[in-house]
């Protein structure tokens, strides 16, 4: 039974990690790949898990108190009751997992929303909460049930908390590694879900002999046999096809694959192929938006005296490259991160894409665009960025001061950088002006000459030479005429309209009234402004709230946290019996620290390396590995600790110091090797893991029930993580930047330390105080 229990808790941890990453990836596709929704998704996962931990812990504790036989029979009867709860929760988790995947794909269809339509942040919150709540609740409840079973093998309850926490965390690591390197490259989400469900159900079968409840026994056998039968009958493949077809209803889905970088789907409607990347339409062929591709494919080259070496960064196929090749270029390098996208373009080729990808002048490079610019020695006359909406960190990293500086090093004398942003010739809202302004400010700080051609999308041109400022519509029209180039859009009358000097003056005047801040790698203001602009279309009230947070700074946050701390101090002075809550509050701030630092480092990874979709599982696993090692070491030596309170305070100080060091070092990590950056995830996890069992020892003093203690502390830990997830992704990281956001954890820890020092004086940890 002992080894079966160990295996069961390991399976709980592994299942939770696999389920979290799978659902996260599926929801990211539905939310069009926006990593800032990661904070909302993870926050909802944590709060649902906290509810499961806390509610089931209370439920089990009340059930024990209702048992009145002799002590031994009470313990025996309650143990059987605990086994029943553990088995029932395992069955529920196994059943809900594939259902959650299905709803993660079809929620837009159910809500009557087009698959290509973006959602407001409030919709992201409620949709993710609805899908995640049942699954995460069951997983959190399994933790409390596991803590209740653990004392069967260890008479000391403080050890049971640390042991289950350690085992579950080790299972999380194992699950992340297996998922990243074994399951994801080979299996669909439904196949993975069925394998996890079958594994959990088979392990639960070994607990049957410890329960006299025949209904539970029949249910677990029926569930296990049914799951195996459905898996062998091909149900996962059927659900995969059914959910994808319903997700993209209205089009004919031709192909769907996950790569290590993202998800690629090919759909066809009335002869038009659309290639979706992480749920967002990226390329259309053979009938592209002719105005868009002709303007962007010709104007930057026409402003250059003789463009021969061209670099296109992402989204070049589907018309843009075709237009560029009408010029007398010698070489065109097309950089696209995901080789699967190119593979799909070749597999479902059209005359347009075939011409683009087979032209002898075109060299296709499957690398991250920023990494390629760092390592290449090639210089270019024109660099075109095919992406046009900095809606997430992966795209925003091509609109920052750091990227613009990198491009400048790879431009020939007189070379031009060109990209597009959303615009309007009728009305520029404040959020649209600020979006363009923060990118313009970054560009202007890097290049001496910048020109913006306003329109429904604004074309930005930047160069070290002043020629881009001098050419007017007449000069461009004359050059087109001399080249004898056919164009359905760029006729003289349209050029006069598009390059009207009065429109440019109007736009430049608008920028003077906008933000003076710049868009940076570690302060992605353009993403926040895009969020405000995006939400104004779906939720004007919420958009106004976001807009009001634009001027948020550390001083305001410090005042708010200080006020909360002073309120707690006042309550503790008036009611010393509440002082036991200082431990709960400290664990909540540690949960905030863990989630905040985890998100900051995940976002930094995306900014520095650009392929988060591939490594999200392993990043979380390394963090959890640190938590496992920390909790295991502390739990193993917990009886040897003489002054737990003093050690707990030292850990709080260590977390605050680490946060300060991280804030100072983040900007310097961009050039470090990937494996070193990934290994850094271990440190904050280790600190979180050390603190949890120690808090259990302190908080449990004067209490006999481990499940209730674990539930209170674990719920506080997850609640702190929820707060960080909600605030960090939406507001803190885009507005304050990554480095300043880390300092919020320092401010929280200074507050919790104040409460702990007062709590030490009041000696709160008695049964009455708790």
């Amino acid at each position: 039974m002992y080894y079966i229990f160990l295996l069961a808790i390991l399976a709980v941890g592994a299942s939770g990690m696999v389920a979290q990453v799978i659902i996260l990836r599926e929801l990211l596709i539905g939310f069009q790949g926006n990593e800032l929704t990661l904070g909302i998704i993870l926050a909802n996962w944590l709060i649902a898990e906290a509810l499961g931990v806390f509610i089931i812990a209370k439920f089990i504790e009340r059930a024990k108190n209702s048992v009145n036989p002799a002590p031994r029979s009470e313990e025996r009867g309650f143990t059987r009751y605990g086994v029943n709860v553990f088995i029932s929760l395992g069955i529920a988790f196994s059943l809900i997992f594939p259902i959650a995947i299905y709803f993660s794909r079809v929620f837009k269809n159910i809500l009557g929303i087009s698959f290509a339509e973006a959602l407001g942040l409030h919709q992201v919150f409620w949709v993710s909460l609805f899908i995640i709540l049942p699954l995460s609740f069951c997983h959190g409840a399994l933790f409390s049930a596991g803590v209740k079973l653990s004392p069967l093998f260890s008479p000391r309850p403080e050890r049971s908390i640390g042991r289950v926490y350690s085992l579950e965390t080790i299972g999380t690591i194992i699950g992340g590694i297996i998922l990243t390197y074994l399951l994801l490259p080979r299996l669909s989400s439904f196949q993975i879900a069925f394998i996890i469900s079958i594994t959990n159900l088979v392990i639960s079968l070994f607990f049957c002999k410890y329960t006299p409840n025949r209904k539970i026994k029949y249910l677990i056998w029926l569930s296990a046999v049914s799951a195996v039968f459905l898996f062998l009958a091909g149900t996962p493949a059927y659900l995969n096809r059914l959910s994808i077809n319903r997700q993209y209803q209205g089009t004919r889905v031709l192909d769907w694959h996950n790569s290590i970088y993202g998800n690629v789907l090919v759909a066809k409607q009335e002869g038009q192929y659309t290639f979706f990347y992480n749920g967002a339409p990226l390329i259309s062929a053979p009938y592209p938006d002719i105005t868009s591709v002709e303007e962007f494919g010709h104007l930057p080259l026409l402003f250059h005296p003789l463009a021969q070496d061209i670099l296109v960064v992402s989204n070049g196929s589907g018309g843009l490259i075709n237009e560029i090749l009408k010029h007398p270029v010698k070489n065109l390098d097309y950089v696209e991160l995901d080789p699967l996208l190119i593979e799909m373009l070749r597999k479902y080729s059209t005359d347009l894409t075939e011409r683009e990808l087979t032209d002898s002048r075109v060299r296709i490079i499957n690398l991250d665009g920023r990494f390629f610019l760092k390592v290449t020695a090639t210089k270019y006359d024109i660099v075109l960025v095919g992406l046009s909406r900095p809606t997430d960190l992966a795209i925003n990293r091509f609109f920052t001061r750091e990227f613009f500086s990198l491009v400048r090093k790879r431009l020939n004398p007189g070379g031009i950088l060109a990209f597009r942003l959303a615009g309007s010739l009728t009305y520029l809202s404040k959020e649209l002006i600020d979006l363009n302004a923060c990118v313009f400010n970054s560009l202007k700080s890097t290049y001496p000459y910048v020109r913006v051609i306003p329109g429904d999308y604004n074309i930005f041109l930047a160069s070290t030479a002043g020629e881009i400022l001098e050419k007017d519509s007449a000069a461009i029209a004359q050059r087109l005429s001399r080249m004898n180039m056919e164009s359905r859009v760029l006729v003289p009358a349209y050029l006069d309209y598009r390059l009207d000097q009065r429109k440019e003056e109007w736009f430049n005047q608008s920028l003077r009234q906008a933000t003076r801040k710049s868009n940076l790698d570690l302060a992605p203001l353009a993403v926040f402004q895009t969020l405000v602009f995006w939400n104004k279309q779906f939720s004007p009230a919420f958009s106004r709230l976001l807009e009001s947070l634009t001027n948020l700074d550390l001083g305001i946050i410090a005042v708010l946290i200080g006020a909360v701390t002073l309120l707690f101090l006042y309550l503790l002075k008036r009611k010393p019996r509440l002082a036991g809550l200082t431990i709960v509050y400290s664990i909540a701030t540690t949960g905030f620290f863990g989630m905040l630092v985890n998100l900051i480092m995940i976002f930094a990874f995306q900014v520095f390396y650009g392929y988060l979709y591939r490594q999200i599982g392993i990043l979380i696993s390394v963090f959890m590995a640190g938590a496992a090692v920390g909790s295991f070491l502390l739990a193993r030596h917990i009886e040897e600790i003489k002054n737990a309170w003093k050690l707990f305070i030292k850990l709080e100080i260590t977390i605050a110091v680490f946060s300060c060091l991280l804030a100072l070092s983040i900007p310097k990590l961009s050039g470090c090797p990937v494996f070193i950056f990934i290994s850094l995830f271990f440190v904050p996890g280790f600190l979180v893991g050390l603190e949890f069992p120690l808090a259990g020892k302190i908080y449990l003093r004067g209490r006999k029930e481990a499940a209730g203690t674990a539930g209170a502390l674990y719920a506080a830990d997850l609640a702190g993580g929820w707060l960080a997830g909600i605030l960090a992704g939406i507001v803190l990281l885009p507005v304050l930047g990554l480095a300043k956001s880390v300092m919020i954890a320092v401010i929280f820890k200074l507050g919790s330390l104040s409460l702990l020092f007062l709590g030490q004086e009041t000696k709160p940890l008695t049964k009455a105080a708790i």
Side-chain angles (χ1 to χ4, degrees), residues 163-224:
R163 176 170 298 178
V164 173
Y165 188 84
S166 300
L167 286 172
E168 190 201 30
T169 306
I170 292 170
T172 299
I173 301 163
I174 295 171
I177 294 172
I178 292 175
L179 178 68
T180 301
Y181 296 109
L182 182 63
L183 300 180
L184 284 176
R186 296 171 177 84
L187 302 174
S188 72
S189 296
F190 281 105
Q191 288 173 317
I192 294 171
F194 268 79
I195 289 172
I196 293 298
S197 296
I198 290 169
T199 301
N200 283 322
L201 292 171
V202 169
I203 292 173
S204 296
L205 289 175
F206 290 97
F207 286 90
C208 285
K209 65 179 181 179
Y210 296 95
T211 175
N213 191 319
R214 291 187 177 182
K215 291 182 179 179
I216 293 290
K217 290 181 178 180
Y218 291 150
L219 183 60
I220 186 61
W221 275 102
L222 178 63
S223 300

Side-chain angles (χ1 to χ4, degrees), residues 720-754:
W722 176 84
L723 181 63
I726 290 294
L727 294 179
I730 301 173
V731 179
L732 300 182
L733 300 182
V735 175
L736 295 181
L738 275 64
K740 287 185 179 179
S741 294
V742 182
M743 296 305 297
I744 298 174
V746 178
I747 298 170
F748 261 121
K749 279 304 172 190
L750 292 176
S752 66
L753 280 167
S754 302

Side-chain angles (χ1 to χ4, degrees), residues 554-625:
L554 276 178
I556 296 173
I557 295 172
V559 170
L560 292 174
I561 295 175
V564 172
T565 303
L566 289 174
L567 178 61
F568 264 93
L569 288 172
Y570 174 76
L571 291 174
L572 292 177
K573 285 289 187 183
R574 293 290 302 272
K575 298 181 179 181
R577 65 186 181 83
L578 297 177
L581 294 178
T582 57
I583 294 295
V584 177
Y585 179 77
S586 296
I587 288 297
T589 61
T590 299
F592 184 92
F593 158 80
M595 171 61 83
L596 179 67
V597 170
N598 206 14
L599 282 174
I600 285 172
M601 295 182 70
I602 285 173
F603 291 169
F605 183 91
Q606 179 71 302
V607 169
F608 296 154
Y609 307 105
Y611 49 95
L612 176 64
Y613 193 84
R614 174 185 182 182
Q615 299 288 4
I616 183 68
I618 203 66
L619 296 179
I620 297 175
S621 295
V622 173
F623 178 87
M624 297 308 296

Side-chain angles (χ1 to χ4, degrees), residues 55-68:
I55 291 173
I56 294 301
K58 292 295 183 183
F59 181 73
I60 291 174
E61 197 168 347
R62 288 181 182 177
K64 182 175 183 178
N65 294 335
S66 67
V67 179
N68 296 315

Side-chain angles (χ1 to χ4, degrees), residues 250-254 266-276 283-290 318 348 350 352-353:
T251 65
R252 185 159 65 95
V253 176
L254 302 178
V266 185
K268 187 177 182 181
Q269 186 176 22
E270 298 179 357
Q272 175 83 326
Y273 292 91
T274 303
F275 297 82
F276 292 84
I283 295 172
S284 295
Y287 312 112
D289 180 348
I290 193 63
Y348 300 96
T350 64
L352 174 64
T353 55

Side-chain angles (χ1 to χ4, degrees), residues 272 284-296 318-320 323 352 420 457 488-489:
Q272 175 83 326
S284 295
Y287 312 112
D289 180 348
I290 193 63
T291 302
S292 173
V293 296
E294 282 206 9
E295 284 189 351
F296 195 55
L320 179 59
E323 299 303 322
L352 174 64
R420 296 168 292 179
Y457 57 89
R488 286 173 285 179
V489 175

